[in-house]
Amino acid sequence: CSACTNKPVLTLFTKKPCPLCDEAKEVLEPYKRRFILQEVDITLPENSAWYDKYKYDIPVFHLNGKFLMKHGVDIQKFEDQLRKLELQSD
């Protein structure tokens, strides 16, 4: 659908198990219609660069490819950035 392509992409750098990541996803649940969630498992061999960068910091979030937050969800920051992107795409 064309509306889907305008949605910002929220990338979650994670691994299994990650209780903090699960918690973060719950916090983001009310917003899920406003973005596309893409999960990157940093333990996979093809993601070793992300593993080296973020192994002590997950969950780490990028919004549209730009670093947004780590160690959890900063809802205020997330909302602000999401709103900015939505205004740009309108």
Side-chain angles (χ1 to χ4, degrees):
C1 76
S2 62
C4 300
T5 56
N6 292 337
K7 284 187 190 173
V9 176
L10 185 69
T11 307
L12 165 59
F13 294 89
T14 183
K15 65 181 186 187
K16 301 271 184 269
C18 176
L20 284 174
C21 301
D22 297 337
E23 208 175 283
K25 284 192 278 190
E26 278 177 38
V27 173
L28 293 168
E29 186 69 21
Y31 301 92
K32 70 177 187 202
R33 286 184 306 280
R34 293 168 59 191
F35 64 88
I36 297 161
L37 181 66
Q38 181 183 39
E39 291 188 41
V40 174
D41 184 338
I42 63 169
T43 61
L44 297 175
E46 66 267 25
N47 296 327
S48 63
W50 293 119
Y51 180 80
D52 293 342
K53 191 169 184 177
Y54 291 143
K55 62 185 165 204
Y56 302 117
D57 291 321
I58 60 169
V60 174
F61 292 93
H62 285 194
L63 190 59
N64 277 1
K66 290 195 184 95
F67 174 81
L68 180 65
M69 54 194 170
K70 65 183 181 182
H71 302 150
V73 174
D74 177 339
I75 266 302
Q76 197 56 58
K77 189 176 193 179
F78 174 70
E79 274 188 38
D80 292 346
Q81 294 302 316
L82 191 59
R83 198 171 301 115
K84 267 187 205 153
L85 288 169
E86 287 170 342
L87 290 171
Q88 284 169 8
S89 68
D90 283 345

